[in-house]
Structures are given as structure tokens and as C-alpha cells.
Amino acid sequence: MNAAKVLDALKHRFPNEAEYHQAVEEVLTTIEEEYNKHPEFDKANLIERLCIPDRVYQFRITWVDDKGNVQTNMGYRVQHNNAIGPYKGGIRFHSSVNLSILKFLAFEQTFKNSLTTLPMGGGKGGSDFSPRGKSTAEVMRFVQSFMLELWRHIGPETDVPAGDIGVGGREIGFMFGMYKKLTREFTGTFTGKGREFGGSLIRPEATGYGNIYFLMEMLKAKGTDLKGKICLVSGSGNVAQYTAEKVLELGGKVVTMSDSDGYIYDPDGIDSEKLNYIMELKNLNRGRIREYAETYGCKYVEGAKPWGEKGDIALPSATQNELNGDHARQLIANGCMAVSEGANMPSTPEAIKVFQDAKILYAPGKAANAGGVSVSGLEMTQNSIKLSWSAEEVDEKLKSIMVSIHEACVQYGTEADGYVNYVKGANVAGFMKVAKAMMAQGIL
Ligand code: NDP
Ligand code: 2IT
């Protein structure tokens, strides 16, 4: 396999899919060497079969808004690879959603899910519907229309969706309800469900907590921990909130959070009372992060990212490509020692190069944020056996999965000088398991 050639061919076949090309390029260039040690892979054209999704569903969603206007949106489900388990991955509702973004996310999910040690394939779905500014009744009507198409393609042993940007407990509840109505079956087809109907304890916390468990492993290998460390967090949604909560619990200080309009900088630190305010603001009142600055009298910067502030650790937890080369150089200049990604692909390729050249700790999303889908996998198990585990039990399992992902990254990513290339480690470890499963299952 020649990574550059494979990538060129994919770009030619699937033009105008920049995010998909970006995700594929990162994986191909880091697995090339290992892949070429296995001539049987090339003979089976494993690489194209791994890069191109198994199938993509695309449909129109029609719904009626509160004023009686008939609205249309696009809906998608990308079923990328089910070599090691049913397709599994979140649903994103955001105005920016398009096929390129969902293909990149489904591709990444395949390797991430492989790393979790649990039997899950990779998929992703969503819509260009933006929940921002919509009433709960509008969200429900939209979700019900979305499900009128999606329900045929998913199922507990086929494809198990969950949340992502714009999709939290409220949206999963509506999806589950409509799915149940259409199929007339109560099954574990979604994860991130409410606790009363099969949801796992710790699933809401899992991505943020998991990211910090992973970060702690990286810091431990450097002989340090989070005590007294200043953390820059972006986003203020599900992942950012529980990232901040765990940082506080372990003695770190969070000084920034953001949303799509701007960021707040609170040099005194966002303590647990202030974090509760953010959770209420974002999850219940669906307000803007600017309101935090108005309430607590701190700095708010409109239209900017938090990466220019001084911090020891950066935890990007909002969206893809939110941290570019200039941001990375600023972070390094300010003494940043570790970056651990809660979001999917938040750092641009240039930013990653800056981090790796500076030899700081850098964990890509597919390793660091795998805690969310891991607890989704544990939710599937609990649904299958019709039991629910205690929060402590789930948290312990989450911790041990994050430790094992860290070990896999170290095993496959340690370079000659001892520097751990977590990107390479995660990609090679994730790839090998899927590749072996595909080889064993024949040419499909
Ligand atoms: P939420 O919708 O709960 O929160 C998203 C946050 O990011 C919000 O603060 C939002 O701001 C901000 N944001 C979204 N889009 C943009 C944008 N284009 N520019 C700037 N800010 C933006 O989503 P999650 O917390 O669930 O997801 C955050 C990231 O984590 C995503 O990359 C997701 O793929 C990833 N992830 C999520 C997992 C999960 O279990 N939920 C698991 C693994 C990864 P605003 O309020 O203005 O919309
Ligand atoms: O990106 C992700 O890993 C998620 N949004 C969670 C997927 C899941 O199935 O829990």
C-alpha cells in the first residue's frame, strides 16, 4: 500500500469531502508501515474496503415548525464497518452536518470502537437540523420525522445509535420513543437512554471522565498528575461539562469554556458551583456561555477560541478543526505540556505536527474520547442481560478500559527515542483488530 496513492484515488472518487480526506490521511500515513508488513492485506485490497463505508443512507426529513411552516432537512446514517460488532456511533444534529463530516466521524468511530476492547463496529449519523432556538415541541416533531426513515436501518444487533453534538438525553428519549412505536418492540437500539428505560449510569459522564482518566495515564507516565494544573477547556456541552467536573475532582483548575459564539476566561477557576451554573444554563435554559461572564464578572471573548490563554493542559471538547497551527504554537509558547482531545478531530493536521514536534503529550480523540462509546457498549451489555450495574461498577470498568487503551497506544506508538506517538499507537492498534476480523470473514 502506498498511502499517498490510496488517498489520491479516494479524493478523486469522493471529491469535496475535506473532513473525510483529512481523517483518512491521518490513519493511512500512520498505519502504512505496519500494513505493508502483511502482504496478504494488500492482496485482499483491505485498505479500500476499510476506507469506504459499507453503506450510506441519505433521506429528506419533513416537519412542521411552531408557526405552521413546512421545513425540510437532510438525514443520514453512515454504516462504516461491522467486522467486529454491530455498527455503533452517535447522531449529530448541527447546521454544519454533511456527508463528509459524517463519513469522517464513522471512519474514526471504527478505529475508536476497536480500541475499546468491546464488540462494536463503526457508524455515524445525523442531520443538518439545528436544535438551537427550536422549541422542545419542534425538536420532538423533527426527531419523529427523522425516525420515520431511520428506523428501518437500525436495530439492537444491526446498528445502535447514540448522542453527539446537538443530541443529548432529550433527543435520545424522543428517538427511542418513536422507534419503539414504529417497531412495537422494546429493545436496546439506542444508548444514552434515560435511566428509567435502560440507560446506563455514568453514560452522560463517560466521555469527559474517560478523557481525564486517559490524561491521568499520560501524566502518570511523566511522573505527574493534575494537582494545581491549569486547564483550558473548549465547548460547554456534554463532553466539556464532565471533563471539567473530573478535572476539579482531581485537583486541577479549569479557566476557560466556550460555545460556538465565543469563550469565557475565569482566572479564579470554574469551581463546582459555577460549573453547576453552566450545566443549568446549557442543559435546561439552553442559554449562551456569554451569560456566565455577565453573572460572574469575568472576561468573554466573542468569536474566538480559548487557546491563546495560558494553561498547562488543553482539552478541546467542542468540534472538529477548532484548534489550528497558530493556536498550537500559542499553546506551546505558553508552556502547555499536554493536549487530550474530548472532541473528534479538533486539532488540524498542522496543529498535531506542532504538538508532536514539540514532543508534548498529545492524545487524539479516537483514543482519549473513547470512554463515551465504551460506556455505550456497557449499556448494550446491560440491556442484553436485562440488568443494570451500579455507578461504581460502570465507572471502574470505564477506568480500566481507558487504561487499556493507553497501554495499546504505548505498545504500538512508542518511537525509538521513547516519545509516545499516540496517534500512531491508536491508529495501528485500532486497525489491526479490524483488519484481522475482515481477513477472517472473506472478501465482502
Ligand atoms: P454538545 O452538543 O453537548 O456540545 C457541543 C459544544 O461544542 C457546545 O458548547 C457547542 O456550542 C460547541 N460547538 C458545536 N459546534 C461548534 C462549532 N462549529 N464551533 C464552535 N463550537 C461548537 O456535544 P458533545 O459535548 O456531545 O460533543 C462535543 C464533541 O465531542 C464533538 O466533537 C463530539 O463528536 C465529541 N464526542 C462526543 C461524545 C459523546 O458521548 N457525546 C463521545 C465522543 C466524542 P453551542 O452551544 O453554541 O452549540
Ligand atoms: O463520537 C463518539 O464516540 C460518540 N458520539 C459516542 C458514540 C456512542 O455510540 O456512544
Side-chain angles (χ1 to χ4, degrees):
M1 184 250 292
N2 175 316
K5 266 197 182 151
V6 176
L7 187 70
D8 270 357
L10 286 174
K11 284 183 175 170
H12 187 72
R13 274 168 103 175
F14 308 106
N16 310 316
E17 295 187 355
E19 294 85 0
Y20 171 61
H21 302 157
Q22 181 183 334
V24 170
E25 180 165 12
E26 184 211 276
V27 170
L28 292 189
T29 50
T30 48
I31 65 166
E32 188 172 19
E33 192 186 331
E34 186 64 31
Y35 185 98
N36 287 331
K37 290 183 191 157
H38 302 266
E40 70 278 14
F41 288 173
D42 236 13
K43 240 176 134 189
N45 195 3
L46 197 77
I47 203 62
E48 281 190 8
R49 292 161 54 209
L50 191 60
C51 290
I52 302 172
D54 287 352
R55 68 190 67 77
V56 177
Y57 297 107
Q58 185 168 343
F59 45 89
R60 188 191 72 245
I61 304 152
T62 310
W63 58 283
V64 183
D65 70 20
D66 285 348
K67 296 196 183 96
N69 302 313
V70 178
Q71 302 278 359
T72 64
N73 283 100
M74 288 309 297
Y76 309 86
R77 186 71 183 168
V78 179
Q79 296 183 335
H80 190 85
N81 186 294
N82 65 353
I84 63 172
Y87 303 108
K88 178 85 196 86
I91 301 258
R92 178 176 292 192
F93 291 163
H94 192 267
S95 53
S96 64
V97 162
N98 58 35
L99 196 53
S100 170
I101 289 177
L102 296 179
K103 278 175 71 178
F104 117 63
L105 288 163
F107 176 81
E108 288 281 290
Q109 196 81 46
T110 301
F111 298 93
K112 183 195 302 189
N113 292 3
S114 168
L115 286 170
T116 66
T117 70
L118 303 173
M120 300 180 288
K124 201 87 185 191
S127 172
D128 58 0
F129 170 83
S130 170
R132 186 170 173 175
K134 304 288 193 304
S135 70
T136 294
E138 286 177 319
V139 169
M140 183 177 73
R141 286 198 296 277
F142 165 78
V143 163
Q144 292 179 339
S145 296
F146 179 61
M147 206 44 58
L148 277 175
E149 286 285 339
L150 188 65
W151 75 277
R152 291 169 215 286
H153 311 304
I154 59 178
E157 310 295 342
T158 313
D159 184 350
V160 183
D164 193 78
I165 292 177
V167 177
R170 176 182 70 171
E171 291 74 20
I172 294 287
F174 292 154
M175 282 193 233
F176 179 82
M178 189 65 176
Y179 179 80
K180 181 172 62 85
K181 182 104 183 158
L182 290 163
T183 59
R184 294 179 293 152
E185 279 179 355
F186 191 108
T187 61
T189 299
F190 292 85
T191 61
K193 300 184 290 297
R195 277 170 56 184
E196 304 77 9
F197 50 100
S200 177
L201 289 164
I202 304 292
R203 177 61 189 88
E205 294 87 346
T207 312
Y209 281 16
N211 187 19
I212 300 307
Y213 295 151
F214 193 92
L215 172 69
M216 289 297 283
E217 287 304 298
M218 293 203 292
L219 294 175
K220 194 158 85 185
K222 291 265 169 210
T224 183
D225 61 21
L226 259 171
K227 285 194 193 79
K229 299 273 190 319
I230 295 179
C231 297
L232 308 176
V233 175
S234 67
S236 49
N238 172 270
V239 177
Q241 291 170 15
Y242 289 104
T243 295
E245 185 168 284
K246 193 49 87 175
V247 168
L248 295 188
E249 192 187 312
L250 296 176
K253 186 172 175 182
V254 176
V255 293
T256 67
M257 282 177 91
S258 70
D259 62 20
S260 46
D261 295 340
Y263 78 89
I264 52 121
Y265 174 68
D266 185 344
D268 298 334
I270 300 168
D271 60 20
S272 47
E273 187 206 313
K274 293 172 178 172
L275 183 58
N276 279 340
Y277 168 89
I278 291 178
M279 289 182 172
E280 214 177 293
L281 175 73
K282 284 291 171 183
N283 308 346
L284 298 176
N285 307 333
R286 303 194 183 265
R288 311 306 305 159
I289 200 70
R290 170 181 31 84
E291 296 167 49
Y292 177 101
E294 288 156 11
T295 303
Y296 293 106
C298 73
K299 179 166 98 173
Y300 169 70
V301 187
E302 178 92 17
K305 315 282 182 205
W307 315 125
E309 302 295 343
K310 198 169 162 48
D312 303 305
I313 294 168
L315 301 163
S317 310
T319 193
Q320 66 276 355
N321 293 327
E322 57 165 316
L323 196 167
N324 63 26
D326 289 337
H327 296 135
R329 279 181 284 274
Q330 255 175 316
L331 283 169
I332 301 287
N334 281 334
C336 175
M337 57 161 314
V339 180
S340 199
E341 296 183 341
N344 285 307
M345 209 168 77
S347 305
T348 64
E350 192 191 345
I352 297 174
K353 187 164 182 335
V354 171
F355 296 143
Q356 293 184 331
D357 285 350
K359 304 240 174 218
I360 66 160
L361 296 169
Y362 166 70
K366 70 168 76 67
N369 73 34
V373 76
S374 298
V375 174
S376 279
L378 300 175
E379 183 168 324
M380 289 167 73
T381 305
Q382 293 169 79
N383 292 166
S384 293
I385 60 174
K386 297 188 169 23
L387 286 175
S388 50
W389 298 330
S390 69
E392 292 72 26
E393 218 171 333
V394 178
D395 199 25
E396 264 319 302
K397 287 184 165 61
L398 168 62
K399 234 179 250 172
S400 84
I401 289 170
M402 298 315 295
V403 169
S404 80
I405 297 174
H406 183 266
E407 276 168 7
C409 290
V410 171
Q411 185 189 338
Y412 287 97
T414 304
E415 295 181 337
D417 63 357
Y419 178 69
V420 181
N421 181 337
Y422 284 92
V423 177
K424 182 176 177 199
N427 288 340
V428 173
F431 162 75
M432 283 308 286
K433 182 172 164 189
V434 178
K436 285 180 187 164
M438 286 174 74
M439 290 302 290
Q441 293 171 23
I443 305 294
L444 293 166

